[in-house]
Amino acid sequence: MKKVIVGNHAVSWGVQLARAEVISAYPITPQTQIVEELSEMCADGRLPARFIKVESEHSAMAACIGASVAGVRTFTATSSQGLLLMHEMLHYAAGGRLPVVMADINRAVAPGWNIWTDQNDSLSQRDTGWIQLYCENNQEVLDTTVQSFKLAEAVDLPVMLVLDAFYLSHTSEPVDIPDQADVDTFLPKREARLKLDVNDPRAFGALSPPDMYMELRLRQQEAMEQALEVFDAVEAEWGERFGRRYGAIEPYRTEDAEIVLVTSGTVTSTARYVVDERRARGEKVGLVKIKMFRPFPTARLRRALAGIPRVAVLDRNLSPGRSGIFAEELRAALYDLEPARRPGLDGYVIGLGGRDVTPDTIGECLDRSRAALAAGRAPEREDLWVGVKP
Amino acid sequence: MSQILIKDRIPREELLDSGHLACPGCGAPIAMRLVLKALGEKTMVALPACCWSIIAGPWPQSSLRVPLFHSAFETGAAVASGIKAALEMRGDLETTVIAWAGDGGTFDIGLQALSGAAERNEDIIYFCYDNEAYMNTGVQRSSATPWGAWTTTTPAEHPEMRPKKDMLAIMAAHRIPYAASASVAYPDDLVEKVKKAKGIKGTRFIHILSPCPPGWKIADEESIALARLAVRNRVFPLMEVENGERWRFSVDHPGEPVEPYIRRQGRFRHLGDAEIAEIQRAVDERWKSLERRVQHGT
């Protein structure tokens, strides 16, 4: 069934198809439509789930954690300040190895107050131990929502699926909604390996002294390392059933490219357009979309980018005092390449706080990297902020 | 005579094992032991950070024979809400879900989540075992610390200068079906209240005074005696509130003077006669107010 729906409702439909059993959430723009729709789905019986209308995002995540450790499928959604308020509990979900799924609508962080998109909210949760998946369009949002539960429950790790404020959350696109029966076959009811059980009483999350703690973290790291291949398997099965795959990363027209853009989120669609346009003019440019940010698909990115002369990373985020965060991650990932095959890398900061990223913005990044390539040196810092008012 | 009565009224089943890590004389394991006896094995515990995070034992051990989830400081009521919702989805309507928090996790950092759960009337029992300060971190004041008390953050030269927060009234104001105060020195009263709470649907709140020998600066063997004095002298009255309106006293409170109770605790050692008279005045005044509540409702 095809429907024209906004990205937020693509999440809600995905959660309904996944048959989440406990949902707990707190309103925040631009996420609110997700939980409004889910409230209606719960109220009219389309989704037989308990919806706990908590008094804060912190309690939303705490309630999801309680429900998840009691063995059921759980979901929440948030944005920006709400995600930051959850931060402590994000560590609890991941360290507790609980497969909570959350949608984060990428929204800039205050001050100044800003409800528009950038990625600093989700990227500042980088080290909490959540799998992070960035989506490009509403179909991908719906597909990723359902897949996230399967992935999370396979590796016992929480998954955050991420979409841009307004460009996806409030933008209507045609979305193919799979049949419930097919989704049920793909994603059966959750069977928790361990859960709170009065017939098998255990303590979860207890004090772990220095002689215990490190091994718990190693298990967590191993699960994260497995998550990439499990994600592939989940996508392969989804692709077989529903005909759509996205990939942890997606190279686009990178063959023989001299400059490759690296993007995430909706900037990718604009970048595809720019790449096609430039290719039509004979310019050797390409694109790599990063969907999976954690675990970071290091080896794949190395393979995709080795030997490319210049890489232009488009970051809708900033680690103040350093640079864009995807650029930093990529620099580290490419460091081990032999110098002859290691690309020059320019990290562009664009589109913060929802500033429009147009084909011209991306074209400017490409032109500056082309100039840098020709000159054999990196652009100056002021040339790495594109779309800034003079 | 009364000992025989208690033995008869309190279930013999033990759901708290020996080998727990409480300090000698601590009220907290006594409270847990009695509560679990009253609730039985079909109980799950949401345990935010508190002394009990240690008492329960380090991973992979547990001194409890019921399932237990250790969680963050401010999350007792929210985690319990989530567990209860999950059990409902699993079709388990029998298991009792409790949150078990200290005074810091209840009066202070967990108050927002507790208020949210109570306002939603979540079907959980929230227990606060109150030792009147942050004891697990080494005796810092909380909003449950009584007026005049020494703690490491209210030194004797500048002791606590605010009255203890009236937690029972705050919970009663949420119009929850059942709220009560109880004491480790009155096990039969405590067990009766827990059994009563178990039979009620909705948010139930039970506030248990639980002495802390190192924090109160008392001898290990004085815990129960002092907890009993705190009831007899009306410092910590034992009450029940139904639907936020019907208040009642559940035991006799003869109204003995507060002075022996204060004098026996090192945390009040710096107080002179004038300060103790002030405590007596405040206790008398609050008692009158509680009597009015019992007579006229809120």
Side-chain angles (χ1 to χ4, degrees):
Chain A
M1 172 180 59
K2 283 242 182 198
K3 275 179 84 81
V4 177
I5 51 176
V6 296
N8 278 339
H9 289 167
V11 174
S12 312
W13 275 92
V15 172
Q16 185 193 315
L17 286 167
R19 296 191 189 273
E21 294 164 284
V22 172
I23 298 163
S24 183
Y26 186 80
I28 184 169
T29 302
Q31 165 277 125
T32 314
Q33 290 171 326
I34 297 176
V35 296
E36 285 174 344
E37 183 80 357
L38 284 170
S39 298
E40 289 191 13
M41 289 169 167
C42 291
D44 65 20
R46 276 178 288 164
L47 177 58
R50 269 287 316 269
F51 194 132
I52 310 175
K53 287 140 196 172
V54 283
E55 83 305 325
S56 73
E57 288 90 350
H58 196 281
S59 285
M61 185 50 65
C64 283
I65 285 168
S68 190
V69 78
V72 303
R73 189 166 285 157
T74 60
F75 175 81
T76 187
T78 191
S79 212
S80 187
Q81 312 299 129
L83 183 65
L84 303 189
L85 183 61
M86 279 182 187
H87 176 79
E88 180 193 24
M89 299 320 292
L90 298 189
H91 282 280
Y92 254 93
R97 304 296 301 276
L98 298 171
V100 179
V101 171
M102 166 165 62
D104 176 60
I105 312 303
N106 265 152
R107 164 183 155 178
V109 172
W113 273 110
N114 182 301
I115 58 169
W116 295 275
T117 201
D118 80 30
Q119 298 169 322
N120 261 75
D121 58 349
S122 54
L123 290 176
S124 60
Q125 311 310 316
R126 182 187 70 171
D127 301 334
T128 55
W130 281 61
I131 294 168
Q132 289 197 10
L133 303 171
Y134 289 75
C135 297
E136 183 186 346
N137 57 53
N138 290 353
Q139 184 69 62
E140 186 178 359
V141 167
L142 182 138
D143 295 346
T144 305
T145 303
V146 181
Q147 292 166 2
S148 291
F149 288 98
K150 183 142 177 149
L151 172 60
E153 291 164 18
V155 292
D156 293 320
L157 287 173
V159 175
M160 186 188 306
L161 68 120
V162 186
L163 48 151
D164 287 328
F166 300 105
Y167 296 118
L168 286 187
S169 69
H170 286 64
T171 301
S172 293
E173 292 181 339
V175 173
D176 179 56
I177 298 177
D179 286 341
Q180 182 69 62
D182 294 338
V183 174
D184 287 345
T185 316
F186 171 80
L187 182 70
K189 193 176 170 69
R190 180 183 169 207
E191 289 295 336
R193 270 176 282 278
L194 282 173
K195 61 174 184 275
L196 296 176
D197 181 354
V198 290
N199 299 313
D200 179 22
R202 293 166 187 262
F204 292 77
L207 179 74
S208 307
D211 64 336
M212 303 278 190
Y213 186 88
M214 236 177 131
E215 287 71 22
L216 295 176
R217 284 290 171 268
L218 177 59
R219 297 290 100 76
Q220 196 179 345
Q221 171 74 355
E222 287 165 352
M224 263 291 189
E225 287 165 0
Q226 285 166 16
L228 176 58
E229 283 182 14
V230 174
F231 173 80
D232 285 343
V234 167
E235 270 218 322
E237 190 185 339
W238 184 266
E240 253 170 57
R241 288 181 192 282
F242 305 109
R244 291 181 296 272
R245 289 191 68 168
Y246 305 94
I249 68 167
E250 182 203 344
Y252 179 73
R253 305 190 78 172
T254 52
E255 65 289 350
D256 79 356
E258 289 170 352
I259 306 174
V260 166
L261 296 163
V262 176
T263 61
S264 57
T266 54
V267 167
T268 308
S269 302
T270 313
R272 282 183 208 276
Y273 170 83
V274 172
V275 166
D276 289 345
E277 205 181 45
R278 296 278 176 127
R279 281 278 182 182
R281 280 165 29 194
E283 286 185 38
K284 292 180 175 174
V285 298
L287 161 68
V288 170
K289 164 188 169 180
I290 298 181
K291 172 173 183 150
M292 179 181 274
F293 177 70
R294 276 294 178 275
F296 199 67
T298 304
R300 285 183 202 188
L301 284 163
R302 254 185 227 149
R303 279 199 299 277
L305 296 172
I308 303 280
R310 204 86 194 169
V311 169
V313 184
L314 306 185
D315 267 306
R316 195 166 217 158
N317 61 74
L318 174 69
S319 175
R322 190 61 188 142
S323 73
I325 294 165
F326 279 88
E328 262 330 284
E329 295 273 335
L330 258 184
R331 273 193 192 98
L334 300 179
Y335 181 81
D336 285 342
L337 286 173
E338 53 180 302
R341 292 175 54 75
R342 190 192 301 146
L345 190 150
D346 308 321
Y348 295 99
V349 175
I350 57 168
L352 299 185
R355 180 156 302 182
D356 213 3
V357 176
T358 66
D360 285 348
T361 317
I362 296 175
E364 204 168 325
C365 297
L366 276 175
D367 292 341
R368 289 181 189 186
S369 282
R370 180 171 302 289
L373 183 60
R377 55 161 182 79
E380 300 295 327
R381 203 280 285 151
E382 51 269 32
D383 292 332
L384 292 174
W385 281 59
V386 178
V388 181
K389 284 184 275 190
Chain B
M1 185 64 195
S2 71
Q3 249 189 345
I4 293 166
L5 190 66
I6 289 168
K7 272 174 75 174
D8 287 344
R9 289 173 66 177
I10 295 175
R12 285 166 188 264
E13 187 185 17
E14 295 290 353
L15 293 167
L16 166 61
D17 281 315
S18 59
H20 64 73
L21 299 181
C23 307
C26 175
I30 302 171
M32 178 69 94
R33 178 171 174 241
L34 291 169
V35 164
L36 288 181
K37 278 172 175 286
L39 292 176
E41 62 182 9
K42 292 204 166 159
T43 303
M44 291 184 180
V45 184
L47 186 77
C50 57
C51 287
W52 250 98
S53 309
I54 306 300
I55 297 170
W59 187 85
Q61 295 163 327
S62 175
S63 56
L64 296 183
R65 297 188 183 194
V66 296
L68 162 68
F69 183 70
H70 291 265
S71 188
F73 213 164
E74 64 277 54
T75 64
V79 168
S81 303
I83 294 172
K84 181 65 193 182
L87 293 186
E88 284 176 14
M89 290 306 294
R90 277 161 54 177
D92 176 355
L93 304 179
E94 195 184 353
T95 298
T96 304
V97 178
I98 73 170
W100 183 266
D103 48 295
T106 303
F107 286 60
D108 292 342
I109 196 168
L111 182 59
Q112 175 179 319
L114 172 56
S115 176
E119 173 275 320
R120 297 189 305 272
N121 200 25
E122 294 286 350
D123 192 18
I124 59 173
I125 313 181
Y126 189 105
F127 290 94
C128 171
Y129 68 101
D130 176 8
N131 50 32
E132 303 198 313
Y134 290 88
M135 298 311 189
N136 201 28
T137 45
V139 200
Q140 294 82 35
R141 63 89 63 182
S142 75
S143 60
T145 302
W147 187 92
W150 162 92
T151 68
T152 59
T153 51
T154 49
E157 303 74 30
H158 190 81
E160 176 58 39
M161 296 312 289
R162 292 289 299 157
K164 183 182 178 85
K165 193 185 277 184
D166 190 348
M167 200 60 214
L168 194 61
I170 289 169
M171 294 313 293
H174 286 75
R175 298 290 190 270
I176 54 175
Y178 187 73
S181 50
S183 167
V184 291
Y186 290 74
D188 44 357
D189 176 79
L190 169 57
V191 166
E192 280 309 305
K193 284 170 175 164
V194 177
K195 283 183 176 171
K196 184 172 182 178
K198 188 186 175 186
I200 297 171
K201 201 168 157 54
T203 304
R204 294 138 288 169
F205 175 80
I206 298 182
H207 179 193
I208 306 170
L209 186 67
S210 173
C212 169
W216 291 17
K217 294 185 179 289
I218 58 174
D220 301 344
E221 65 275 17
E222 292 226 287
S223 287
I224 298 298
L226 283 164
R228 182 164 288 272
L229 275 186
V231 174
R232 296 184 62 81
N233 65 18
R234 301 171 175 171
V235 163
F236 193 86
L238 301 190
M239 307 195 75
E240 288 181 305
V241 196
E242 286 177 25
N243 299 312
E245 281 168 357
R246 289 187 298 283
W247 290 68
R248 63 175 285 267
F249 298 110
S250 61
V251 299
D252 284 339
H253 300 81
E256 293 166 4
V258 299
E259 186 172 357
Y261 175 73
I262 300 297
R263 292 276 188 220
R264 279 166 74 174
Q265 299 180 55
R267 63 175 171 160
F268 296 119
R269 186 179 296 130
H270 51 281
L271 300 184
D273 291 345
E275 286 87 5
I276 293 174
E278 170 55 26
I279 292 172
Q280 184 69 61
R281 191 200 58 74
V283 166
D284 292 345
E285 193 174 289
R286 179 152 180 277
W287 180 259
K288 277 186 213 148
S289 147
L290 289 175
E291 281 186 317
R292 280 196 300 276
R293 276 186 213 165
V294 168
Q295 280 163 16
H296 308 295
T298 44

